[in-house]
Amino acid sequence: MWTLTSDVEEYAAVAEPFLLGDPVRNTVALTVLANLRAGMPVKDPRFGWWTAGGELRGAFFHTPPHPVGLADMPVEAVAPLIEALGGALPAVVGRVELTAEAQRVLGAPKRVVPERLYRLGALAVPDVLGHGRLAVPADFPLLVSWYHAFGDEVGMSDGDVADRVSGRLAARELFVWEAGGAPVSLAGLSPAAGGVCRIGPVYTPPSCRRHGYGSAVTAHASAVGLAERCDEVVLFTDLNNPTSNAIYQSIGYEPVSDYAHVNYS
């Protein structure tokens, strides 16, 4: 049975202990929850938890305009969730077995982006020209343009990009790789949630690619995370991009689970 609420604290009180049972696979759910409790604005959020046999066994979150996020749950909970949410969803993201069930119920989507969750094992720092550093306010115009370019490339928006970049700069969540006296690549590092930080986005402009800058800035941000902020670092990749998957594995990231981002709008 699904229990729905729009009250983040009610959801947190019930679902957070469950989500913390696997903070790596529930990294997005826990990060969203932490951001909401820190004051992130959201309109018409919905949350819920699935109970079976008197035991909490699943959770979901929806913070429009982002997709409905399927956290840990049994496959048989997906169809009742879709029914509870009105039977039509603009987008769903979660582990592949859950999104496959959502597609069975909802029908063929307009677009599916296959993703893989990686966890950092032993970090291997690449030998790349330049150095990593924390992004600073002077980087703001460049980072806004890179965020827009990244969103265009992957076909996903991140709301008000200027506000997003400004907030992440203030929270010390953005890192750049600098070579030849100029920034050449970007990596974000989410705040720790359940002891886990998440890398993303990672973006290198086309003119600066094929020099290892993306792997270098990812390794730098990962090292900062482990040294100062969290116990584990994870990231998601687009499985349609074999180059990025190979790069992340080369610096020590190991596959955990496959996911999918399914769009109906």
Side-chain angles (χ1 to χ4, degrees):
M1 179 182 73
W2 281 103
T3 302
L4 306 186
T5 183
S6 58
D7 185 327
V8 65
E9 290 301 334
E10 180 185 14
Y11 171 69
V14 177
E16 187 175 29
F18 169 78
L19 297 172
L20 287 170
D22 192 342
V24 167
R25 286 181 173 82
N26 289 318
T27 173
V28 176
L30 286 166
T31 302
V32 168
L33 180 56
N35 289 341
L36 289 168
R37 297 173 96 180
M40 180 182 77
V42 63
K43 183 179 180 181
D44 300 324
R46 299 187 84 180
F47 314 101
W49 54 92
W50 170 262
T51 51
E55 179 183 359
L56 194 153
R57 298 185 56 210
F60 90 94
F61 57 97
H62 188 206
T63 54
H66 301 292
V68 172
L70 309 178
D72 273 352
M73 67 179 69
V75 171
E76 61 265 25
V78 175
L81 173 60
I82 292 170
E83 182 180 1
L85 293 177
L89 304 177
V92 180
V93 63
R95 292 198 322 273
V96 288
E97 60 267 31
L98 302 178
T99 56
E101 175 67 2
Q103 292 175 71
R104 186 192 69 78
V105 175
L106 294 168
K110 291 187 176 180
R111 183 170 182 246
V112 178
V113 179
E115 300 177 332
R116 180 164 290 161
L117 174 65
Y118 287 85
R119 166 199 274 153
L120 182 61
L123 179 63
V125 178
D127 184 12
V128 175
L129 179 68
H131 66 277
R133 64 168 173 83
L134 190 69
V136 297
D139 298 314
F140 176 76
L142 178 64
L143 298 185
V144 169
S145 71
W146 283 359
Y147 252 75
H148 278 297
F150 175 81
D152 289 343
E153 282 195 11
V154 301
M156 298 179 191
S157 64
D158 196 22
D160 188 314
V161 169
D163 280 354
R164 179 69 170 151
V165 172
S166 178
R168 297 203 76 180
L169 276 172
R172 298 166 55 89
E173 295 177 19
L174 299 178
F175 298 83
V176 297
W177 191 259
E178 195 168 280
V184 292
S185 194
L186 159 74
L189 181 72
S190 73
V196 178
C197 287
R198 188 172 66 259
I199 296 287
V202 175
Y203 179 75
T204 304
S207 62
C208 298
R209 292 175 186 172
R210 299 181 179 85
H211 297 286
Y213 299 144
S215 60
V217 74
T218 300
H220 177 74
S222 301
V224 171
L226 290 177
E228 303 175 6
R229 307 186 183 186
C230 55
D231 302 319
E232 298 208 62
V233 184
V234 301
L235 56 78
F236 284 93
T237 65
D238 180 349
L239 282 177
N240 289 326
N241 186 338
T243 300
S244 67
N245 282 265
I247 286 171
Y248 296 133
Q249 290 182 75
S250 74
I251 61 173
Y253 279 89
E254 302 168 349
V256 176
S257 296
D258 285 358
Y259 287 68
H261 189 127
V262 180
N263 287 288
Y264 284 90
S265 60

